[in-house]
Amino acid sequence: MGDEVSEEGRILAEKVDRLFQVIHPTGRGPYSLREVAQGIADRGGPTMSASFLHQLRKGQRDNPGIKYLKALADFFGVPPSYFFDEEEGRRVDTELSLLESMRDNQVRSVALRASGLSPETLRTVQAIIERARELEGLNKDEGPGEDA
């Protein structure tokens, strides 16, 4: 029973882990647990150990307290409501997906080349991309930038 993770713990862990995986300095991989703990402390946030952060990422802590979640949100630059509000969580996840996509050089290249095109041309390009996703068997809802 010691290794069981509650539903709340799993959801929180997924959100915390997503922040670690997606938001990090350009040109390098994710922050370490110690870097995040130190960064939060440097900003005057509550004391968090690397072990505490590890437990959050693994779902072993499912009710860490609002001050810890606010500090994590502040460190990663997302609104604290990301952890509490489903709609806000979906919006932030969409932004995180866009950030992930933009790290892909080919995706970034397409986006940069599209800059300055007319709205009509951009709609045509978007339609072509959607058709290509269909042909590749990719779900329309999997990609970022969907209008809700």
Side-chain angles (χ1 to χ4, degrees):
M1 183 172 167
D3 290 337
E4 289 182 26
V5 176
S6 70
E7 180 68 11
E8 294 83 12
R10 184 189 61 76
I11 291 169
L12 178 61
E14 288 173 358
K15 288 182 178 201
V16 171
D17 190 59
R18 184 137 166 82
L19 294 175
F20 271 89
Q21 292 300 321
V22 176
I23 300 175
H24 50 79
T26 303
R28 60 161 273 190
Y31 288 106
S32 72
L33 297 168
R34 285 193 177 103
E35 285 177 308
V36 173
Q38 186 61 53
I40 289 171
D42 291 348
R43 294 169 183 246
T47 301
M48 289 190 218
S49 67
S51 174
F52 176 82
L53 291 169
H54 174 78
Q55 291 171 344
L56 286 177
R57 282 185 83 178
K58 298 299 177 190
Q60 296 165 343
R61 286 199 178 233
D62 61 3
N63 192 11
I66 194 164
K67 70 180 180 179
Y68 297 105
L69 295 178
K70 283 183 176 181
L72 273 171
D74 181 56
F75 179 85
F76 285 109
V78 299
S81 55
Y82 170 65
F83 294 111
F84 310 109
D85 180 274
E86 268 187 61
E87 185 175 324
E88 185 70 9
R90 282 192 295 274
R91 187 188 66 75
V92 171
D93 278 337
T94 298
E95 291 175 5
L96 293 174
S97 292
L98 178 60
L99 178 60
E100 262 181 324
S101 295
M102 292 306 287
R103 285 203 174 111
D104 179 319
N105 285 334
Q106 290 178 320
V107 172
R108 186 172 49 246
S109 175
V110 169
L112 291 172
R113 298 287 297 156
S115 179
L117 296 176
S118 70
E120 298 85 25
T121 301
L122 287 173
R123 281 191 291 276
T124 301
V125 170
Q126 185 176 10
I128 291 168
I129 290 171
E130 288 304 322
R131 180 64 182 135
R133 290 181 61 81
E134 286 175 24
L135 292 171
E136 296 273 336
L138 299 172
N139 184 337
K140 181 178 179 181
D141 295 333
E142 287 176 5
E146 297 297 322
D147 293 329

